[in-house]
Every structure is written in structure tokens, then in C-alpha cells.
Amino acid sequence: MATVKTQNLEMIKSTRNAPKAEMYVPGHRTCAGCGPALAYRLVAKACGPNSIFLGPTGCMYVANTSYLCGPWATPWTHCQITNGGAVASGIEAAYQVLIRKGKWKGELPNIVVFAGDGGAIDIGLQAMSAMMYRGHDALFVEYDNESYANTGIQTSPATPYGANTTFTPPGKAIPEGKVLFPKDAPQLVIGGHPAVHYVATASVAYPVDLMNKVRKALNYQGPTFLHLHCPCPKGWLFDEAKTVEMAKLAIQTGMWVNYEWEKGEYKYQHTPKEYKGVGEYMKHQTRFKHLKPEHISKMQDFINAKLKAPGKPIAVPVAGPRERA
Amino acid sequence: MPKYTVKFKIPKHLQVPMGAVIPSPKTENEGMITGNWRIVRPVIDHEKCTTCLNCYIFCPDACWQLNEKTEKMEWNAKYCKGCRICINECPADALTAEEELNFPDGVVRLDVPF
């Protein structure tokens, strides 16, 4: 018989109300102005001391743990990029046994996998899916910086259309850089995992909303999924002071939509009254600098279709292999 | 140190804990001091500051903390990387970027390299 969590983490009303204790302490090797590091700090703050963090390979493992030190005040372990979900399943199952045998007296810890977009929906997809299929009580966080940033900005399935990455450089044959449209990560989880009851997207531009979504996910029994938008100054090539500004622009232009999905119902947050054009967001980023007006209008069409019902599947114009070559 | 280090005479600089298990830091990670990365530093004007806590919540390195006794923001010079997010997000314009070399204690140098 599986033990159930009895904790009920309180919702945070304002910035002043946020927990004072830092669980992701200063002293890590992430770039100046790192969006994922900010997301990690907020997630760790919301989780509190009774948590175990797992770091599948990615920026938030490589840049944080070097030369035998790490910035976590809570237990943390590395796992391979493929098996974040599998390690979380093992830790959760071990705690269930320890609690059943009476060897662990405390509350079941919050088990949080902090995977990048590659560790969640590309290389690590099968382990994440298996964890959700088996219904382990863990939170899977995907911090989305839209590329494989720690190896030098390679394209990932979360990279938007038209981005210039090391694997999709624009040239004479392919003027737009990346030709494919990105995967819809929350949709992957919602669509095929009946054990999951809570899926949400959040942005570093709205930290209180982000922390509340983490707490809400932790209060749920069973697997939950969070998708966080984390601008990456080095990968997207913009000034590092504008990390939060870029996250806000993404919401104002519709490139990112904050919503939560609770047992089949969608709720939207921070929707602007009028969306700005996607060009407003793209002009600040050098990775989109090569785009011509026809490419930006193609992106605008995609965003317009997506904004009719954010979080729900849409038909995407996918170029076949012959058109791409 | 485990016994095998004595048996095989492993030199001290190559001795690492088994399975790389290391203690968690509590308030700061002294193994990775990043204050010497800075080119500019944020300087606060306490008269303009409204303690809205934007700098505190948006800092990726947790370098702004509210001192509850004095109700003033405190800056952590040891770890601030000088990314200027706090300056950009300050609604009261209380923060300004100043060149690190203008300060007598500017550019923190480490005694021992990483």
C-alpha cells in the first residue's frame, strides 16, 4: 500500500510572502543573467527543505556542479540525460519501502526532476513517460531554454522555427535556419498519461505564479509536470540584463502562454488584452536576425493558430524531407 | 578518508570522496566564488528604494536580500556576477550600474585559482 503525502504547502500571495530560505544558494557557475538558474532558485525556494533534486545532464547539472561542490542546500543527485524519470521512480519507490518498514519516520520528500528540454522531451522522453505511466509521486520540471545550451547551442525539439543554432545555421539553401516547428511539451504529457492530473506552464517573468504552480503540483498525489520558459542570454544572443524583459515580451507577443491543466480543465493566466506582433520579440534576439519578412509572417501564422486555443493540439505546417534538403 | 587511500598511497590532491558524495552547502557555496566575474556593479540609492523586492526575486544568484531590521536591501558582493537584471527590473530607478574599477575594492581576486 503506497503511502500518501499529507503535506499541504501554502500558496504564496506576494514576493514578500515568499519563503526566505534559499535552497539554491549563491555560488554557481551559470552565466550572468541565466534564466534557468533563476527558475531553479524559484523552484527550490517553493519546494523547501524537505526535497530531493535530480539533475539530468544539461546546463543545470554541468554549470552547477564542478570541482566537487554544488549550490544545493537540499540533497541532490546527478542522473544521465536519458534517465531522469527512472531515477526519480527509484528514489520514490525506495522511500515508500522505507516508510512501510518504519525506517523513515518523516514525510515522503518532494522528489523534483529538474531536466532541460533535451532531458525531458527529447533524449529523456521515455524515462519521463515511464515515470508518469507508473504513477510515481514526483514532480518533473522541464526548464525550456530552447536548445542544447551546455554543449554549444545545438537545436532541440523545443527550438522555435527560424532560430539560428549550431546545427541549423542559415545559408543560401535554407535561408530561415531551423525549418521545423517545435514539439508541444505539455501536450505530450496531457495526451498520453492518465496518471497525471496536473500540468502547468510558467515563466520566470512571473515568479509568484511560478512558485504557486510548483506548490500546487507538489500538493497533488502522483506525477505532475511543469514547463518553464527560461530565456538564455548566451543561446538566444541578447543582453544578459534583459532576461526577465524577454520572458515578459514572450507572453505579450503570444510566443509563450501561461496556463494550467487540472484534471481536463484549462485555466489561462497573464493573457494580454492585445497581443503584439512576434517581430517585437524576435528583433531583440540575434538568433532570429537573419529572418526575412516572409519567415516572420509564417511564424505569426503559427502563433495566431496556437493562440486560438493555447495548450491544445494544432495542425503545424511541417516541411517534408525533400522540401528541406 | 577511506582506507584504500592509505593502502594504495594515493597522493593527497587526487583523493576524492567515494562516489563523489559531498556535503551540501547551507547558505553559500564557497567552492565557486563568482564575484570576480563582474565588470559593472549595481549601486543602490536607499532614498529612492521602495523595497518592492523586484531585485530580490529576479536575481538568479540570490545576491539581494532584505535586512528585516533596517528594512534595507543588502547586496552580496562575493557572488554578484554583474548581470544587471536588477537594474533593468527596478521600477523606482534606485539602482545604477557603475564600473567595477572605480571602486577601491573593485574586482575581487581569488587567492587560489579554481
Side-chain angles (χ1 to χ4, degrees):
Chain A
M1 181 67 206
T3 31
V4 287
K5 264 191 226 168
T6 51
Q7 67 173 357
N8 188 21
L9 296 168
E10 265 179 61
M11 290 296 125
I12 296 159
K13 288 189 191 84
S14 65
T15 314
R16 213 169 257 269
N17 207 320
K20 292 276 176 300
E22 298 289 347
M23 292 295 133
Y24 180 74
V25 298
H28 39 83
R29 216 172 43 134
T30 56
C31 313
C34 180
L38 173 54
Y40 215 143
R41 178 178 161 238
L42 296 170
V43 170
K45 218 179 216 321
C47 289
N50 185 28
S51 330
I52 296 174
F53 284 95
L54 281 94
T57 309
C59 274
M60 288 298 104
Y61 153 62
V62 174
N64 284 326
T65 59
S66 27
Y67 314 115
L68 284 172
C69 63
W72 297 276
T74 61
W76 173 90
T77 182
H78 169 232
C79 39
Q80 304 301 321
I81 190 164
T82 48
N83 64 5
V87 176
S89 310
I91 291 175
E92 196 261 357
Y95 267 97
Q96 296 284 14
V97 172
L98 288 175
I99 291 169
R100 193 182 71 218
K101 291 188 175 172
K103 290 184 179 174
W104 176 259
K105 299 280 187 266
E107 174 90 27
L108 182 74
N110 305 318
I111 296 154
V112 184
V113 190
F114 206 83
D117 42 316
I121 56 162
D122 194 16
I123 303 176
L125 179 60
Q126 60 85 13
M128 179 189 83
S129 177
M131 181 195 98
M132 287 169 177
Y133 154 71
R134 289 189 297 262
H136 289 284
D137 201 343
L139 165 62
F140 203 103
V141 180
E142 180 199 348
Y143 68 89
D144 192 352
N145 55 4
E146 301 184 347
S147 61
Y148 284 99
N150 94 70
T151 46
I153 329 297
Q154 283 85 19
T155 181
S156 86
T159 310
Y161 165 81
N164 177 2
T165 66
T166 325
F167 282 174
T168 58
K172 272 182 197 163
I174 308 171
E176 67 255 65
K178 194 186 175 190
V179 286
L180 295 173
F181 282 90
K183 272 186 193 177
D184 194 343
Q187 202 54 50
L188 273 172
V189 178
I190 293 167
H193 301 91
V196 182
H197 298 308
Y198 185 78
V199 173
T201 64
S203 165
V204 289
Y206 297 94
V208 176
D209 172 69
L210 190 151
M211 287 191 279
N212 281 337
K213 279 171 177 166
V214 171
R215 291 203 151 181
K216 216 167 177 181
L218 291 172
N219 286 345
Y220 263 86
Q221 304 292 333
T224 41
F225 182 78
L226 273 185
H227 191 196
L228 309 180
H229 189 236
C230 308
C232 168
K234 291 287 171 286
W236 305 5
L237 300 167
F238 61 85
D239 183 12
E240 68 256 30
K242 290 185 178 169
T243 302
V244 175
E245 201 183 311
M246 215 49 71
K248 270 183 195 154
L249 260 179
I251 286 185
Q252 285 161 7
T253 53
M255 292 287 286
W256 185 263
V257 182
N258 274 355
Y259 63 87
E260 39 185 3
W261 176 89
E262 256 182 293
K263 296 177 179 169
E265 275 182 42
Y266 286 90
K267 270 183 219 158
Y268 301 104
Q269 289 93 27
H270 312 120
T271 32
K273 276 178 188 156
E274 209 171 305
Y275 286 102
K276 291 179 183 172
V278 288
E280 281 289 307
Y281 171 72
M282 291 167 127
K283 76 179 179 195
H284 294 283
Q285 299 173 25
T286 311
R287 63 171 176 165
F288 293 125
K289 209 177 177 183
H290 58 279
L291 290 187
K292 295 188 176 67
E294 67 260 31
H295 303 136
I296 292 177
S297 69
K298 198 174 172 188
M299 188 73 175
Q300 185 70 60
D301 292 346
F302 170 69
I303 295 297
N304 288 349
K306 214 171 129 184
L307 286 177
K308 278 179 192 159
K312 290 177 191 168
I314 57 156
V316 174
V318 177
R322 267 164 206 281
E323 295 161 54
R324 262 183 276 156
Chain B
M1 273 294 139
K3 276 181 189 169
Y4 68 91
T5 53
V6 183
K7 194 180 169 188
F8 296 107
K9 285 182 188 152
I10 294 169
K12 204 174 181 189
H13 71 281
L14 290 178
Q15 288 177 7
V16 289
M18 203 58 164
V21 177
I22 50 158
S24 269
K26 289 289 161 260
T27 51
E28 55 181 316
N29 174 22
E30 290 220 293
M32 194 57 66
I33 297 167
T34 51
N36 58 344
W37 292 17
R38 230 172 18 243
I39 301 168
V40 292
R41 68 164 67 172
V43 176
I44 189 163
D45 180 351
H46 285 294
E47 287 189 358
K48 282 187 189 170
C49 177
T50 56
T51 60
C52 66
L53 299 180
N54 262 9
C55 49
Y56 154 76
I57 205 76
F58 285 126
C59 181
D61 297 274
C63 284
W64 283 107
Q65 296 293 340
L66 179 69
N67 186 337
E68 287 188 345
K69 282 180 192 159
T70 57
E71 277 287 309
K72 278 181 180 170
M73 299 307 297
E74 278 180 1
W75 177 62
N76 187 344
K78 198 171 170 187
Y79 293 101
C80 174
K81 293 170 187 164
C83 67
R84 297 171 282 125
I85 290 181
C86 49
I87 300 168
N88 210 27
E89 294 307 312
C90 183
D93 284 333
L95 290 166
T96 42
E98 285 199 25
E99 292 281 332
E100 186 66 18
L101 288 172
N102 293 350
F103 295 91
D105 63 333
V107 188
V108 184
R109 294 283 175 212
L110 300 174
D111 302 334
V112 192
F114 291 137

